[in-house]
């Protein structure tokens, strides 16, 4: 049950407002001295289509308020997921925010950032008092947009957005009679998605006469070389495969792996051919990823990766980090 605040609590009010997910923008203008000015804001919103109007608000305590209040033109940049650092940079005071940033030429002197999800070049139409903020309403003189996934902001944290198509989600949530197993079960969804994607990769790997176990082994050795059998198994145990000495001997005969040391201390090293083969396999895996990303959409694919990473963290039984420095 939601908590109701009968007495007004500013912090609780701020937290409640934070539940409304927004995009993240950078607003830029140029001062009278020609210096570029920019701030991060999530108060951007549309006002009207005809005429094309948008708005955003700025705190009366903001150091940049006089510049925006006196300026005639400003640009709104809807940030992409790749621009999270840029958002943090323009939200920080006391640094040269525009240092080493390449700009596009716009219709005014206001700085125009690159690689955004969308950009709106505006002229101030109205300014309004809005409590402790000033509301700027601008007429959109020019705009452009791209397919880049937008950066979102929710409850004080950056977030990713994902679509919820009406027609694609056929999977039922109601179990059949006398059965509690539904298509909405997380394990089923993860398993089916995994095996369907793996099958696409398997079809490409079969041309190299290597299976997915060899793919995992070579990938591990490509990241961290000179491992013994126990260490390799530690890194691939999540796959359900058990790497045997016989399997490593097979890769040795294929000249993909070199075996060093004595019988009681064998270590496995990737050969030049093995590294080249591993890179080719990773390239095939990226082909599969690109095909799936094209069908999902860039934004949904990125959101899926973030959720899977979180799932890996919360379900990790304590596996070592393959990418951690030794």
């Amino acid at each position: 049950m939601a908590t109701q605040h009968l007495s007004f609590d500013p912090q609780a009010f701020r937290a409640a407002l934070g539940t409304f997910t927004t995009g993240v923008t950078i607003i830029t203008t140029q001062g009278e001295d020609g210096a570029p000015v920019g701030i991060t804001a999530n108060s951007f919103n549309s006002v009207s289509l005809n005429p094309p109007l948008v708005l955003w608000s700025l705190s009366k305590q903001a150091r940049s308020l006089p510049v925006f209040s006196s300026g005639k033109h400003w640009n709104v940049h809807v940030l992409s997921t790749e621009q999270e650092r840029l958002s943090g940079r323009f939200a920080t005071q006391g640094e040269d925010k525009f240092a080493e940033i390449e700009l596009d030429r716009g219709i005014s002197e206001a700085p125009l950032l690159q690689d955004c999800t969308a950009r709106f070049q505006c002229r101030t139409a109205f300014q309004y008092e809005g409590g402790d903020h000033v509301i700027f309403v601008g007429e959109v003189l020019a705009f452009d947009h791209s397919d880049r996934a937008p950066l979102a902001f929710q409850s004080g944290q950056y977030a990713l957005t994902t679509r919820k198509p009406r027609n694609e989600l056929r999977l039922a949530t109601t179990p059949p009679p006398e059965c509690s197993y539904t298509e909405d079960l997380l394990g089923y969804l993860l398993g089916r998605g995994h095996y369907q994607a793996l099958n696409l990769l398997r079809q490409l790997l079969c041309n190299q006469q290597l299976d997915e176990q060899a793919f995992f082994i070579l990938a591990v050795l490509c990241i961290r070389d000179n491992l013994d059998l126990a260490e390799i198994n530690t890194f691939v145990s999540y796959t359900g495969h058990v790497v045997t000495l016989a399997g490593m001997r097979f890769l040795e005969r294929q000249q993909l792996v070199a075996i060093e040391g004595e019988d009681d201390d064998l270590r496995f090293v990737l050969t030049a051919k093995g590294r080249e083969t591993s890179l080719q396999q990773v390239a095939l895996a990226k082909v599969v990823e690109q095909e799936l990303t094209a069908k999902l959409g860039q934004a949904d694919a990125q959101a899926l990766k973030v959720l899977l990473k979180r799932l890996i963290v919360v379900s990790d039984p304590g596996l070592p980090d393959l990418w951690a420095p030794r």
Side-chain angles (χ1 to χ4, degrees):
M1 181 176 178
T3 301
Q4 296 187 27
H5 296 272
L6 301 180
S7 61
F8 194 84
D9 182 341
Q11 290 300 113
F13 180 58
R14 183 184 183 93
L17 292 175
T19 63
F20 180 64
T21 303
T22 68
V24 183
T25 69
I26 289 176
I27 317 291
T28 60
T29 190
Q30 186 181 70
E32 293 181 356
D33 59 356
V37 176
I39 60 168
T40 299
N42 67 335
S43 57
F44 172 71
N45 212 330
S46 62
V47 176
S48 170
L49 294 178
N50 187 20
L53 299 175
V54 297
L55 67 77
W56 65 286
S57 63
L58 181 62
S59 170
K60 291 181 179 179
Q61 304 301 318
R63 295 165 56 184
S64 57
L65 180 61
V67 180
F68 282 103
S69 295
S70 61
K72 295 183 179 180
H73 293 90
W74 37 268
N75 296 332
V76 180
H77 307 83
V78 180
L79 300 187
S80 68
T81 54
E82 292 84 4
Q83 294 177 306
E84 183 176 324
R85 288 188 178 181
L86 194 64
S87 170
R89 180 174 183 174
F90 276 81
T92 304
Q93 296 182 0
E95 65 173 285
D96 185 358
K97 301 175 182 179
F98 291 90
E100 301 180 357
I101 292 181
E102 294 187 12
L103 301 173
D104 285 338
R105 180 175 295 276
I107 61 176
S108 72
E109 296 302 319
L112 191 60
L113 305 177
Q114 299 178 348
D115 302 326
C116 302
T117 297
R119 303 184 296 186
F120 301 90
Q121 302 182 58
C122 305
R123 175 174 57 204
T124 299
F126 311 101
Q127 294 184 40
Y128 297 105
E129 294 281 329
D132 57 5
H133 279 60
V134 174
I135 300 171
F136 292 88
V137 179
E139 178 187 4
V140 179
L141 305 177
F143 71 94
D144 59 84
H145 65 98
S146 70
D147 293 329
R148 293 181 176 89
L151 182 64
F153 195 74
Q154 204 270 334
S155 295
Q157 297 185 18
Y158 291 112
L160 297 174
T161 60
T162 184
R163 299 173 297 114
K164 190 176 181 181
R166 296 181 179 180
N167 299 323
E168 291 181 16
L169 302 181
R170 184 201 65 80
L171 301 181
T173 58
T174 303
E178 300 181 0
C179 178
S180 60
Y181 192 100
T182 75
E183 289 180 288
D184 204 41
L185 191 67
L186 181 60
Y188 169 77
L189 295 174
L190 287 172
R192 180 164 175 174
H194 163 72
Y195 284 113
Q196 287 182 179
L198 185 59
N199 185 57
L200 295 175
L201 176 60
R202 186 181 293 121
Q203 293 176 22
L204 298 178
L205 289 176
C206 69
N207 296 327
Q208 295 189 341
Q209 297 182 337
L210 293 173
D211 58 15
E212 61 265 24
Q213 184 181 36
F215 171 87
F216 294 131
I217 295 172
L218 296 182
V220 166
L221 292 177
C222 194
I223 299 168
R224 183 174 293 199
D225 208 358
N226 193 32
L227 300 177
D228 61 28
L229 196 60
E231 290 173 322
I232 294 175
N233 272 303
T234 299
F235 287 122
V236 303
S237 61
Y238 70 92
T239 68
H241 293 282
V242 177
V243 182
T244 64
L245 180 58
M248 298 305 297
R249 293 289 187 190
F250 170 79
L251 294 178
E252 181 187 36
R253 291 192 296 272
Q254 301 296 314
Q255 299 181 338
L256 302 174
V257 169
I259 302 179
E260 301 177 347
E262 302 297 331
D263 289 342
D264 56 346
D265 186 26
L266 296 179
R267 306 194 75 82
F268 304 92
V269 179
L270 202 62
T271 65
K273 181 181 177 182
R275 185 169 299 276
E276 180 181 355
T277 299
S278 179
L279 293 177
Q280 291 174 352
Q281 291 179 337
V282 172
L284 294 178
K286 290 183 177 180
V287 168
V288 172
E289 178 178 335
Q290 289 172 354
E291 292 176 350
L292 293 174
T293 297
K295 295 177 180 179
L296 280 175
Q298 187 67 35
D300 288 354
Q302 286 186 307
L304 177 62
K305 288 182 180 180
V306 170
L307 290 175
L308 289 175
K309 287 180 179 180
R310 290 181 59 192
L311 178 63
I312 288 171
V313 169
V314 300
S315 62
D316 184 12
L319 297 178
D321 185 355
L322 180 59
W323 284 268
R326 306 181 77 167

